Amino acid sequence: MFALIYDTRELDKPQKRVLSVHKTRQTAERALEIRMVRLGKKVEECDTRIVWVKRKVQREDVVIDKDFSTWKPGEKIPYGELHPDCD
């Protein structure tokens, strides 16, 4: 399942709180857009990521790195995510 997690990217804080759970990446992306508007921030500023969670979770659960990955197994990864824009 896809989830929005709160992630400040601080290495000393490995636990990430689940903000919402979604069946598809598209619904997770829509939820992220709504969160950005509500907070009045850009995606880089709202400390929120979309991840694929490897176990069953609910809103407000806590996950750690081994529980999730950026992409669902077998999911097509956009070209821009695999290749940097710079030289």
Side-chain angles (χ1 to χ4, degrees), residues 12 16 22 24 26 31 33 36 53-54 60 73-74 86-87:
D12 61 334
K16 315 298 181 191
H22 306 273
T24 67
Q26 290 76 22
E33 290 172 8
M36 290 173 9
V53 183
K54 300 172 185 172
E60 297 298 324
C86 60
D87 293 332

Side-chain angles (χ1 to χ4, degrees), residues 7-71:
D7 186 2
T8 57
R9 303 194 190 270
E10 297 174 67
L11 296 177
D12 61 334
K13 297 180 181 178
Q15 296 182 326
K16 315 298 181 191
R17 186 169 46 95
V18 176
L19 301 173
S20 60
V21 178
H22 306 273
K23 291 182 180 181
T24 67
R25 182 170 291 276
Q26 290 76 22
T27 57
E29 288 173 353
R30 180 68 184 131
L32 178 56
E33 290 172 8
I34 291 168
R35 179 172 170 76
M36 290 173 9
V37 169
R38 192 177 74 241
L39 295 174
K41 297 182 178 182
K42 296 178 183 176
V43 71
E44 302 86 16
E45 301 168 333
C46 67
D47 297 326
T48 306
R49 294 174 55 190
I50 298 172
V51 296
W52 172 256
V53 183
K54 300 172 185 172
R55 63 179 177 88
K56 189 173 183 172
V57 293
Q58 307 178 60
R59 185 175 180 269
E60 297 298 324
D61 281 353
V62 173
V63 294
I64 58 174
D65 290 348
K66 71 175 187 168
D67 294 327
F68 63 87
S69 62
T70 302
W71 303 99

